[in-house]
């Protein structure tokens, strides 16, 4: 099978650098609009929860960041696998750029979860909740990936070794996920009111979906600009980049 | 099969000639577990309730300690390169090395843990389950740590990173292992966690060596 020409272009650093620069303001703009709309909808339009009052509104940060943290790890692993198998340097660059973003969103999910946990569960940290444990382990996976990369001086080797770790990690993510759930189910179930008790109404759900879309675009935006930085770091000795950087003001 | 036996035999011979290397993690295990009663309190009820967890975490840490050197010696003296260049399938070689390591570090631990468990006042009924769970968990642990060791093989100081890489992946094993021990101590049926441990072991042993082999190839480049 012959791959179309546009596909091969993704292996070229100048093309991807230019494309990222071109897309970045659009993606960033959409992210800002969606997050602004979702924030307004979540903080103003959505009714207060009859059980949790206004404190439930942190869900509009918490759920999207948890969602992005997991999605980012899968994309990281897929990019790393593509880079490892076809030796595509740009795929490795994508994986490297994702790691700190994913770790930040994971941390954000944990932090907002803790802040939310205080008024609803009475504690910042609830060891029995499987989702907290899963996010914590996911954070460790991100940090391990970054620590492994940082330990290598040779970038090529760091790329390939950390790609293996990424793939091993993503195979383990579902196992960790279900084992953590199973672990919890053996304890006495926590008899605390959860959000899934009352069914979520549309006025609450719509801003949440908008926020999830906004966070996804925000993730893409951060990824694009980090990818540009990563390409500059990798290609700083090449002619096209020098010419490009010399040509552009600033 | 010939390759497998040759490599395993060679590694076993090497291990027995430097017995302190595989004795040290076992001593570490005994020392760590005896620190817990000192740090917590010698109360029998408390020790009984935390015993299973302490034993599992200590076993995990001590086997991590052992695995840093799993490939390093062979890589440093060049024999790993020779093995890689030989026509022998590299995946088999990796499995053989992991198996040899499991024999010298896993088996003694399985014998040792129930003895230490008695000092934690774990009920006798739980000891057999504990040993069985360890027997099923050790292959998974060996494979996961081998992945960590292979990833860091070309680093000068891989020790501190291996823990960060491997321990999060060990969480499922730890969960099922401690749960099986706890359930046995409470007199419940333990088949479910043991089956899951076995499933993890089959999964790890069948797919893990591929990752180890790939990581070693990159490390030796």
């Amino acid at each position: 099978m012959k791959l179309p020409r546009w596909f091969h272009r993704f292996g070229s650093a100048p093309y991807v650098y230019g494309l990222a620069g071109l897309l970045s303001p659009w993606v960033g703009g959409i992210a800002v609009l969606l997050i602004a709309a979702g924030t307004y909808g979540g903080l103003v339009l959505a009714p207060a929860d009859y059980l949790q009052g206004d404190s439930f509104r942190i869900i509009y940060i918490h759920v999207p960041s948890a969602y992005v943290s997991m999605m980012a790890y899968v994309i990281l692993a897929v990019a790393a696998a593509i880079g490892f198998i076809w030796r595509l340097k740009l795929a490795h660059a994508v994986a490297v750029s994702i790691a700190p973003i994913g770790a930040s969103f994971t941390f954000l999910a944990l932090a907002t979860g803790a802040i939310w946990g205080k008024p609803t569960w009475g504690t910042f940290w609830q060891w029995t909740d499987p989702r907290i444990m899963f996010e914590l382990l996911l954070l460790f996976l991100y940090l391990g990936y970054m620590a492994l990369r940082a330990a290598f001086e040779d970038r090529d080797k760091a790329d390939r070794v950390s790609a293996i770790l990424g793939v091993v990690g993503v195979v383990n993510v579902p196992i960790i996920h279900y084992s953590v759930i199973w672990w919890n189910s053996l304890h006495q179930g926590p008899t605390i009111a959860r959000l899934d008790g009352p069914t979520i109404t549309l006025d609450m759900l719509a801003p949440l979906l908008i926020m999830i879309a906004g966070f996804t675009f925000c993730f893409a935006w951060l990824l694009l600009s980090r990818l540009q930085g990563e390409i500059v770091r990798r290609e700083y000795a090449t002619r096209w980049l020098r010419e490009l950087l010399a040509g552009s003001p600033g | 099969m010939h390759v497998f036996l040759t490599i395993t035999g060679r590694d076993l011979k090497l291990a027995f000639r430097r017995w302190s290397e595989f004795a040290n993690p076992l001593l570490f295990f005994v020392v760590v577990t005896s620190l817990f009663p000192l740090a917590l309190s010698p109360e029998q009820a408390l020790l009984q309730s935390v015993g299973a967890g302490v034993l599992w975490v200590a076993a995990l840490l001590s086997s991590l300690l052992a695995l840093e050197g799993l490939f390093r010696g062979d890589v440093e003296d060049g024999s790993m390169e020779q093995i890689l260049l030989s026509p022998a399938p590299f995946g088999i070689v990796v499995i053989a090395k992991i198996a040899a390591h499991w024999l010298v570090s896993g088996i003694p631990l399985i014998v040792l843990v129930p003895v230490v468990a008695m000092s934690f006042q774990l009920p006798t009924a739980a000891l057999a389950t504990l040993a069985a769970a360890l027997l099923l968990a050790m292959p998974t642990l060996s494979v996961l740590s081998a992945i960590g060791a292979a990833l860091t093989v070309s680093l000068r100081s891989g020790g501190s990173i291996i823990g960060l890489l491997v321990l999060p992946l060990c969480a499922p094993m730890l969960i099922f292992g401690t749960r099986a021990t706890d359930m046995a101590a409470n007199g419940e049926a333990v088949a479910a966690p043991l089956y899951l441990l076995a499933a993890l072991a089959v999964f790890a042993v069948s797919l893990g060596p591929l990752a180890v082999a790939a990581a070693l190839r990159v490390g030796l480049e």
Side-chain angles (χ1 to χ4, degrees):
Chain A
M1 196 183 82
K2 214 171 158 218
L3 290 169
R5 185 144 162 251
W6 59 263
F7 188 82
H8 285 292
R9 281 199 186 141
F10 284 104
S12 133
Y15 177 74
V16 172
Y17 184 88
L19 190 70
L22 199 69
L23 285 178
S24 178
W26 293 98
V27 173
I30 295 173
V32 169
L33 283 178
L34 283 174
I35 289 177
T39 309
Y40 181 74
L43 294 187
V44 182
L45 297 183
D49 188 72
Y50 80 98
L51 208 62
Q52 300 183 12
D54 280 331
S55 70
F56 94 96
R57 293 185 198 276
I58 201 165
I59 192 180
Y60 295 114
I61 309 274
H62 179 68
V63 172
S65 23
Y67 164 76
V68 169
S69 70
M70 287 178 241
M71 181 189 71
Y73 197 84
V74 175
I75 299 177
L76 184 156
V78 170
I82 291 173
F84 187 82
I85 295 166
W86 287 289
R87 301 215 172 198
L88 266 179
K89 284 193 179 140
L90 279 171
H92 285 306
V94 171
V96 182
S97 317
I98 289 176
I101 309 175
S104 314
F105 276 109
T106 315
F107 181 77
L108 193 62
L110 278 171
T112 51
I115 295 167
W116 191 16
K118 187 65 184 165
T120 43
W121 294 343
T123 61
F124 284 113
W125 197 261
Q126 186 80 16
W127 281 109
T128 47
D129 186 64
R131 282 169 290 186
I132 293 186
M133 281 313 296
F134 175 72
E135 282 289 313
L136 186 65
L137 290 168
L138 189 65
L139 182 64
F140 292 155
L141 288 180
Y142 276 119
L143 294 182
Y145 177 88
M146 281 151 72
L148 183 65
R149 283 205 66 92
F152 282 92
E153 275 162 31
D154 178 28
R155 180 176 293 134
D156 222 36
K157 209 171 218 182
D159 279 345
R160 293 167 50 76
V161 168
S162 60
I164 297 173
L165 181 68
V167 174
V168 170
V170 88
V171 169
N172 273 281
V173 158
I175 301 179
I176 295 177
H177 187 72
Y178 286 105
S179 65
V180 173
I181 290 174
W182 196 78
W183 164 66
N184 183 42
S185 70
L186 279 174
H187 283 95
Q188 282 294 312
T191 44
I192 303 163
R194 286 281 181 78
L195 191 79
D196 47 31
T199 47
I200 192 161
T201 65
L202 190 65
D203 348 356
M204 284 183 186
L205 185 63
L208 184 61
L209 293 178
I210 295 173
M211 280 303 258
I212 288 177
F215 267 58
T216 311
F217 271 95
C218 179
F219 165 77
W221 185 25
L222 292 170
L223 174 59
L224 287 174
S225 37
R226 281 196 64 87
L227 182 62
Q228 277 194 313
E230 185 65 30
I231 289 175
V232 170
R233 203 172 297 142
R234 282 163 186 252
E235 307 264 323
Y236 69 95
T238 56
R239 198 147 141 230
W240 71 266
L241 192 66
R242 282 167 184 239
E243 277 168 10
L244 190 77
L245 293 180
S248 67
Chain B
M1 203 58 211
H2 176 66
V3 175
F4 182 87
L5 291 178
T6 312
I7 298 277
T8 313
R10 167 183 171 274
D11 276 19
L12 285 180
K13 205 183 274 175
L14 281 174
F16 284 119
R17 298 219 168 130
R18 285 178 302 181
W19 59 270
S20 71
E21 257 178 44
F22 76 90
N24 285 347
L26 296 175
L27 286 175
F28 174 85
F29 172 77
V30 175
V31 173
V32 167
T33 45
S34 51
L35 285 181
F36 272 93
L38 291 178
L40 296 168
S41 95
E43 234 177 285
Q44 191 177 332
L46 178 76
L47 288 184
Q48 230 166 4
S49 64
V50 300
V54 168
L55 290 172
W56 273 91
V57 172
L60 209 67
L61 293 179
S62 76
S63 67
L64 270 187
L65 203 69
L67 264 147
E68 209 215 322
L70 176 54
F71 301 116
R72 176 138 311 157
D74 280 354
V75 168
E76 275 173 1
D77 68 12
S79 43
M80 189 61 96
E81 268 178 343
Q82 297 304 317
I83 294 173
L84 192 60
L85 289 173
S86 75
F90 197 48
I92 303 276
V93 174
V94 167
I95 297 176
K97 287 194 76 69
I98 296 173
H101 192 273
W102 174 72
L103 284 175
V104 293
S105 71
I107 299 291
L109 204 60
I110 292 166
V111 177
L112 193 60
V113 167
V115 178
V116 180
M118 281 194 270
S119 75
F120 274 83
Q121 324 287 342
L122 284 189
T124 335
L127 294 184
T129 311
L130 179 60
L134 273 172
L135 191 66
L136 290 171
M138 279 298 159
T140 319
L141 183 57
S142 292
V143 169
L144 286 176
S145 323
I147 292 175
L151 287 171
T152 54
V153 80
S154 54
L155 294 175
R156 250 166 280 131
S157 57
S160 57
I161 287 190
I162 292 186
L164 188 55
L165 302 182
V166 171
L167 288 176
L169 302 180
C170 290
M173 206 187 68
L174 190 69
I175 290 169
F176 299 138
T178 47
R179 228 30 67 192
T181 318
D182 272 351
M183 286 163 83
N186 295 335
E188 294 165 49
V190 291
L194 289 184
Y195 284 152
L196 283 163
L197 276 177
L200 286 179
V202 170
F203 187 64
V205 170
S206 50
L207 286 181
L210 295 175
V212 176
L216 279 176
R217 279 210 181 93
V218 176
L220 286 171
E221 265 170 15

